[in-house]
Amino acid sequence: MKNFASIILLFLFTAPCFSQQFRPPSVPLVAHDPYFSIWSPADRLYDKETVHWTGKEQPLHSIIRIDGKAFRLMGSQPTSLEPVKQTGVTVFPTRTVYNFQNESVNIQLIFTTPALVSNLDVLSRPVTYLTWKIKSVDGNDHDVQVYFDCSGEVAVNTPDQNLKWDSPAITGLQTLRIGNPDQPVLQKKGDDLRIDWGYAYLSVVDDQKSQSKVGGRDQLMKSFISLGGLSSISNLTQPRKARDERASMAVAWNVGKVNSSESTCWAMIGYDDIYSIRYFDTNLQAWWKRNGMTINELLQVAAKEYTSLQTTCANFDADLLKDLESVGGKKYAIMNALVYRQCIAAHKLVADAKGMPLIFSKENFSNGCIATVDVIYPAAPFFFLFSPALTKAMLQPNFDYAASAKWKFSFAAHDLGTYPQATGQVYGGGEESEANQMPVEETGNMIIMTAVLAKMEGNASYAEAHWPVIEKWSNYLFSKGFDPENQLCTDDFAGHLAHNINLSAKAIVALGSYAMLCDMTGRKDKAAEVRKKAEAMAKDWVNQATEGDHTRLAFDRPGTWSQKYNLVWDRILGLNLFPNEVVQREIEFYKKHQSEFGLPLDSRERYSKNDWITWTATMADKQEDFKILFDPIYHFAETTPQRVPLSDWYITDNAYMVGFQARSVVGGFFIKMLSDKNVWAKWVGKGTNISGTWAPLKINVLNGTSILSNS
């Protein structure tokens, strides 16, 4: 019965009934990390060329020949071909499923990225599967061939860079490889960049009836359209610029006679970045390489596991969607399915010198920083729900940096550098001054996140390992946290603000978290002392922040208001520092002040952040109130005219994006799942944990001296 039930559940979440009329602003196709991330910015897969998350073209194309006539499935080229009508698209957490149909055949094109957070080895693999499933719908047999190409632009930053290619010999596979002959590994850093080192791969198993070739895109397409194959393609001279004849890797399958039974062909698209992250004095490789695995071996393993991973991903998607809908409703489930891969693809999972995991985020289109604490913080609910191991891997670099000789301040750092170079803070005053820092923000974030990890694990051993740093940070919050000075918070686009009440709430919750950690580590007297102070601060906060039916934006600003999203952790951690009636009064106030597309961030502007709206909505006692506050985010996503991976910063009156796209912070949508203790426990139990010690942080300091630092 258990197997039968899972089959029924799988059907429910893969059947057309889950393919609602929701229109994603952009559709994830290949979503692995900040460099290997390809999206479709269109309603229909054949309306526009596919793009990197930054918006630069990285074209993928698919054409199908049915009884000698060619039709487009993916990509806007060649424009002379009519498409097979797209009848639907559904975005699942690990898969995107397109459906097409004409009078002859039905086609399903599935992109599967096995982003399984319970299996770090599979999660780390830079391989996406593309599957074409074709069957006759008119009762007749049809002769079918399928074509797919991947532009060499996936392996360069700009089209004027050179490409070279070859066909590596991998047993059991037909494989093409393309990349930049210069290989400037980890040399570039910044925001609006694409990778120009490493190699892209297109691979198919030998037992499929296929031909593969690197050639000029137009010539490849012309050959397939006229002949149904690639045998007539002449060799291009290399190296050559990516823009010259649009050199592409292509494969063509002779599927043969297709009837009412489903015929299938599939391929793998992958990327080997050689080295992934510069971590102070060390270049780190992707997690999947930690035991010496090569890309050739990885592709063989990925091919062998194709069938099992298709089933595993479908089951995972169905199980997660069921819980998402149960906790937050249908629209909540749909939005989390959309952002699942977006959150992961803004990170890179690597191994340190001792084979321990580290995961680094990139601030996509907000400044390109790496391991930014106030980006980790809003994204963290994703990791809190699924993986203690990834939570530790996310926090560890920031703890080690704080304990090193490079960081001289008593508060937490903002970032570790500019992606992919984690070599020291670049934001504000950097490592030199306190100017334009976020001291209360980042310090509070780090302590709260450490406490949530302790709640996940049921112990505070990770906090114990970093106790001197946590203690130093807590002392800073005692002196500076209740009434913050004129400083930035995570919403730095709004500018400096003194006496920030939401920031004050964060500091108080962080000190309550510190008291919890003291108690869990056996420091009972200290826990009681800290708890008493935090309770007194919370009481003063309520008295000084309240103005009638709400709380102010700043202690000294009457007639203002703001979302107090930081209070959500008071409930999730069970700290109970703030009276629930105060929080629910805020919820009632917010319901009266939200716009068509969401609740403004505060009374100063009409823009908002959808991650913070979700945190605020999660504080509501009533499920109806949660939906009232959250559902406008869904409305924004399907209405916004900017066709980019979901933006988190937009105007609540008209759904226009202000800035930011493809950021990890949308992982914060998963925070509602943490409000259900049973659901949270279920997914943490499925997740991966890890024990051991991370490699000491090796940093060059003055005079070229190298030191080892580890907290």
Side-chain angles (χ1 to χ4, degrees), residues 652-664:
T652 58
D653 294 331
N654 59 20
Y656 275 76
M657 179 180 93
V658 178
F660 307 161
Q661 65 193 54
R663 298 212 307 165
S664 62

Side-chain angles (χ1 to χ4, degrees), residues 4 18 56 103 207 214 396 419 549 575 609 612 662 676 682 684 708:
F4 178 75
F18 194 71
K56 299 298 191 296
E103 66 278 3
D207 60 4
V214 174
Q396 187 67 31
Y419 195 92
D549 61 351
L575 302 176
K609 296 275 275 68
W612 297 146
D676 186 311
K682 167 188 169 180
V684 169
L708 296 179

Side-chain angles (χ1 to χ4, degrees), residues 34 53 339-348 359-366 369 371-383 394 609-611 615 645-648 660-670:
W53 70 261
V339 303
Y340 182 94
R341 277 172 284 163
Q342 176 173 325
C343 179
I344 289 174
H347 295 85
K348 187 67 179 184
I359 190 166
F360 292 90
S361 63
K362 179 179 180 180
E363 275 205 61
N364 289 345
F365 271 17
S366 49
C369 278
T372 302
V373 174
D374 63 291
V375 168
I376 293 172
Y377 177 67
F382 178 94
F383 300 97
M394 180 174 63
K609 296 275 275 68
N610 49 29
D611 49 345
W615 288 34
L646 189 69
S647 172
D648 53 286
F660 307 161
Q661 65 193 54
R663 298 212 307 165
S664 62
V665 301
V666 292
F669 289 4
F670 286 87

